[in-house]
């Protein structure tokens, strides 16, 4: 049986892959639109910060939801 910690680690890794894929796709779109290297670097830096904040919030909500099945939350409903 897989442990709770392993599930969370697997979920975090999955989120990291999805974030990386989304960033790659966004950068391709920016390149197609003629963005400069500086613009893409700026976008990458901002996206990285925002995505890590989102990931932390998402993981916290997943952990909370899996830890306490009776916890009321509109995010899980």
């Amino acid at each position: 049986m897989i442990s709770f910690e392993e599930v969370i680690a697997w979920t975090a890794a999955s989120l990291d892959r999805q974030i990386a894929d989304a960033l790659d796709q966004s950068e391709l779109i920016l390149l197609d639109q003629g963005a400069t290297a500086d613009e893409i670097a700026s976008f990458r830096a901002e996206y990285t910060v925002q995505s890590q904040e989102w990931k932390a919030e998402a993981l916290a909500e997943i952990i909370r939801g899996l830890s306490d099945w009776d916890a009321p939350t509109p995010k899980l409903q």
Side-chain angles (χ1 to χ4, degrees):
M1 178 179 223
I2 191 167
S3 72
F4 183 76
E5 290 78 18
E6 290 171 315
V7 169
I8 297 304
W10 180 83
T11 302
S14 176
L15 291 173
D16 285 337
R17 285 190 302 275
Q18 292 175 47
I19 289 167
D21 289 346
L23 179 57
D24 290 344
Q25 292 175 12
S26 295
E27 286 181 352
L28 288 175
I29 291 169
L30 290 172
L31 282 171
D32 286 345
Q33 294 177 347
T36 66
D38 287 342
E39 290 170 330
I40 292 173
S42 175
F43 172 80
R44 177 179 274 280
E46 184 176 332
Y47 186 92
T48 299
V49 169
Q50 290 176 350
S51 64
Q52 291 307 308
E53 289 172 359
W54 171 83
K55 176 185 159 191
E57 290 173 7
L59 280 175
E61 188 66 18
I62 290 167
I63 291 167
R64 192 173 78 79
L66 293 175
S67 298
D68 183 1
W69 287 100
D70 295 325
T73 175
K75 292 180 182 179
L76 292 177
Q77 294 174 357

